[in-house]
Amino acid sequence: MLLIVSCTSQPEQPQEMDPHSNARPFEAVIEHLALDVKVDMEARRIEGTANYKIKGTGRIIFDTDGLEILSVTLGNGEAADHSLGDSTLLGRALEVKLPKGTDRVSIAYRTGDQAKALLWLSADQTIDGKQPFLFTQGQAILTRSWIPIQDSPGIRFTYEAKVSAPVGTMAVMSATNPQAMSPDGRYSFRMDQPVPAYLMALAVGDLAFEPLGERCGVYAEPGLLKRAAWEFADTERMLEVAETLYGPYRWERYDVLVLPASFPFGGMENPRLTFATPTILAGDRSLTALIAHEMAHSWSGNLVTNATWNDLWLNEGFTVYFENRICEAVYGEDYARMHALLGHQELQATIQRFSAENNAADTRLRLDLAGRNPDDGVSDIAYEKGFAFLRLIESKVGRPKFDAFIKEYFNTFAFQSMTTDRFLAYLDENLMKPNKVELNVAEWVDGEGLPANAVVPVSDRFTKVEAEVARWEAGTPASELMTADWTYHEWVHFLRHLPQPLGADRMAELDQAFKFTTSGNSEITFVWLDHAIANNYAVAYDRLVEFLTTVGRRKFVLPLYERLASTEKGMVMARAVYAKARGNYHAVTVRSVDDKLDWRSVSQPVAF
Ligand code: BES
Ligand code: ZN
């Protein structure tokens, strides 16, 4: 294998083949993208040119998925010899021949009807109902459905963009951003630090901006802006804490964009502008750990980036660890312990489920996703097992040494990609050996399940919650339980530890005492609705239907559909609700729910 040693600030060449990209960066690679596009809300299409500065010779291969390629020209204005490959899981490879001396290529293109990254919402699907809305979601391999690009996390490039949007809308990107609406709908952007394609992002809608501090601010639809600004008031402090832990924030501004509720994730760490679900606007700042999480990605992920999706734990495991440290500093140790323990419970449930599904291979930290949609490999494993592994190392060497190590790691590999092997070698050399620590690293990284030496988080406050559950089981009425100072973490722990099945009467007693059906906290609503389905608690069904038809966050809606689908009656309801809700979901959520509800066979009955 060719070893490329880099001693400049140029991004390094990828060190291994990415099974999820057709690009061949060893032959030719993009260095800079100048994008010039029009967002046509009516036709639901993005159309324009992607102009590339490239390095390499012979040919360059781009990823595309569902794009219509209109023309390809070289820097000298001549038409380029190009061809599109067959359609596979990875989309279609676009090969462009590079005559000697060519370092620029322009691709005129438009997006297709089913562009997977894009969700087009009509005005009535937004919060204010005034303007249509568009947002993109790039991770893991969706950016290729709205830009022809080398869509591998191991390939970084700088970009600039000109975006023409309808008058009355604001466009924002993972780049320098406007803070006010432009009168003509035209916007320009720059991202001067090299980023991988999955971090390219665009949103267009009726947006307004409110500052939260020196470097932080929030974008939202005007009707939501005040609420959002109140909820995220701790952002600037989080950023200061993060810098104190692991070194300077390298992206200048950190803003948050609150999207319509159909956003398929809780959050997405688009550089300079985190995209977030409005379901974290709980009204009491209780769900802001998500902001800490996406912010933490500004180091773990956006600065040091997983080389391929098999190494996702390097992004997510580090980020969950970092998120916890930010929360500990801002909200205290009790909070951080409860937060960690809820995550640990999710990890155990995931390991059990994967084992029951004969899918124990996906409980490994280092994944093998070749030939599969990388989205299918995303689970709590990368997040929580990754976190547990880092916690274990921390417990062996102590915090001061671990913190110094991580800080140095981010610094050393800033703007580079990282493979699991390379990280393990660095870990061994810089932390394990100097401190004479030996660990079952191979078992953690390539073994299944959770190794026995995992450090299980403990929380006194959760122990007290369990005592209240026991009192309730023993006959104390719900209204007399000692819940006065409980935070959302304790409520979720309570709900997860209720005996099952409960029956509709016991559910009603809890609901009367604690008003779960009308809770404004989406994490509580989610667990409660899950119980409501399992216990046939019909009182909550209106709320369930409302939740499923407004929220598109996959983490919530997928398990609820799955629970419904576990009975025949429930499946009928699930499909009826889904028929209404599906148009409100992003392709990421649609793909998963389609699968669960066997939607293709239902919506297109096979002819006899
Ligand atoms: N980068 C992820 C979202 C993601 C991961 C998208 C893999 C596609 C493939 C983001 O940072 C994330 O982890 N979001 C979580 C937030 C949470 C753990 C606080 C989410 O959306 O629930
Ligand atoms: Zn994340």
Side-chain angles (χ1 to χ4, degrees), residues 137-142 198-199 263-270 275 277 280 287 289-295 297 302 309 312 315-316 319-320 323 339 346 374-375 378-380 383-384 523 553-555 588:
Q137 165 60 38
Q139 199 180 5
I141 57 168
L142 305 181
Y198 79 93
L199 294 176
F263 190 60
F265 294 105
M268 178 64 212
E269 66 272 26
N270 298 315
F275 281 25
T277 170
I280 54 168
L287 301 180
L290 186 131
I291 301 297
H293 178 97
E294 306 311 336
M295 179 187 285
H297 272 305
N302 300 2
W309 300 116
L312 179 70
N315 275 20
E316 298 300 344
T319 298
V320 172
E323 165 198 347
H339 201 61
E346 284 152 27
D375 213 32
V378 176
S379 76
D380 292 329
Y383 290 77
E384 296 294 339
E523 296 285 345
R553 187 173 172 187
R554 182 173 63 177
K555 173 186 126 169
V588 159

Side-chain angles (χ1 to χ4, degrees), residues 283-304:
D284 59 3
R285 298 181 183 156
S286 59
L287 301 180
T288 52
L290 186 131
I291 301 297
H293 178 97
E294 306 311 336
M295 179 187 285
H297 272 305
S298 309
W299 287 258
S300 44
N302 300 2
L303 211 52
V304 184

Side-chain angles (χ1 to χ4, degrees), residues 162-475:
K162 285 198 186 105
V163 175
S164 167
V167 172
T169 62
M170 195 195 285
V172 288
M173 291 191 81
S174 49
T176 54
N177 273 307
Q179 294 186 346
M181 223 173 251
S182 92
D184 61 359
R186 288 172 190 275
Y187 297 90
S188 8
F189 305 89
R190 297 193 62 83
M191 171 43 79
D192 293 331
Q193 287 112 316
V195 293
Y198 79 93
L199 294 176
M200 288 216 61
L202 168 70
V204 177
D206 181 13
L207 292 171
F209 172 80
E210 172 127 349
L212 297 169
E214 278 273 300
R215 289 181 292 175
C216 304
V218 60
Y219 293 84
E221 289 182 57
L224 210 58
L225 190 61
K226 290 282 170 241
R227 254 180 80 193
W230 186 89
E231 199 86 28
F232 302 148
D234 296 327
T235 308
E236 193 88 35
R237 222 172 111 217
M238 287 179 170
L239 195 57
E240 279 157 21
V241 163
E243 289 188 306
T244 311
L245 282 168
Y246 300 132
Y249 179 71
R250 312 256 204 145
W251 308 87
E252 296 165 27
R253 290 199 57 84
Y254 178 81
D255 295 317
V256 178
L257 166 67
V258 182
L259 290 147
S262 27
F263 190 60
F265 294 105
M268 178 64 212
E269 66 272 26
N270 298 315
R272 299 177 71 112
L273 183 64
T274 283
F275 281 25
T277 170
T279 62
I280 54 168
L281 302 176
D284 59 3
R285 298 181 183 156
S286 59
L287 301 180
T288 52
L290 186 131
I291 301 297
H293 178 97
E294 306 311 336
M295 179 187 285
H297 272 305
S298 309
W299 287 258
S300 44
N302 300 2
L303 211 52
V304 184
T305 309
N306 52 206
T308 74
W309 300 116
N310 290 333
D311 309 302
L312 179 70
W313 77 277
L314 293 175
N315 275 20
E316 298 300 344
F318 273 78
T319 298
V320 172
Y321 176 83
F322 195 170
E323 165 198 347
N324 199 274
R325 293 295 301 279
I326 295 172
C327 288
E328 183 185 307
V330 176
Y331 299 120
E333 207 176 312
D334 274 357
Y335 181 108
R337 285 166 177 270
M338 292 193 286
H339 201 61
L341 199 40
L342 286 187
H344 186 77
Q345 291 166 7
E346 284 152 27
L347 173 61
Q348 283 183 316
T350 301
I351 290 175
Q352 265 173 25
R353 184 162 49 86
F354 280 176
S355 308
E357 290 168 354
N358 267 328
N359 189 16
D362 280 349
T363 66
R364 298 175 190 167
L365 272 186
R366 187 195 335 237
L367 293 166
D368 180 9
L369 298 172
R372 289 165 70 189
N373 186 324
D375 213 32
D376 296 343
V378 176
S379 76
D380 292 329
I381 299 297
Y383 290 77
E384 296 294 339
K385 188 175 174 182
F387 173 52
F389 181 44
L390 297 176
R391 262 286 148 91
L392 173 68
I393 302 171
E394 178 206 274
S395 78
K396 295 286 177 200
V397 298
R399 261 199 187 171
K401 283 184 181 154
F402 192 57
D403 280 351
F405 166 78
I406 292 193
K407 192 172 180 174
E408 191 55 32
Y409 167 68
F410 289 149
N411 237 327
T412 307
F413 299 104
F415 300 106
Q416 294 180 35
S417 56
M418 183 56 57
T419 65
T420 297
D421 277 338
R422 198 169 176 207
F423 169 70
L424 293 179
Y426 183 80
L427 173 72
D428 200 45
E429 208 50 48
N430 294 280
L431 197 64
M432 308 300 244
K433 271 197 199 131
N435 291 291
K436 302 195 172 46
V437 172
E438 289 199 7
L439 264 187
N440 50 339
V441 171
E443 187 190 354
W444 271 92
V445 173
D446 292 311
E448 294 168 356
L450 189 63
N453 60 344
V455 186
V456 179
V458 282
S459 158
D460 297 346
R461 290 181 56 163
F462 276 7
T463 311
K464 287 182 188 147
V465 172
E466 287 151 36
E468 293 309 297
V469 174
R471 291 213 306 138
W472 186 59
E473 282 192 77

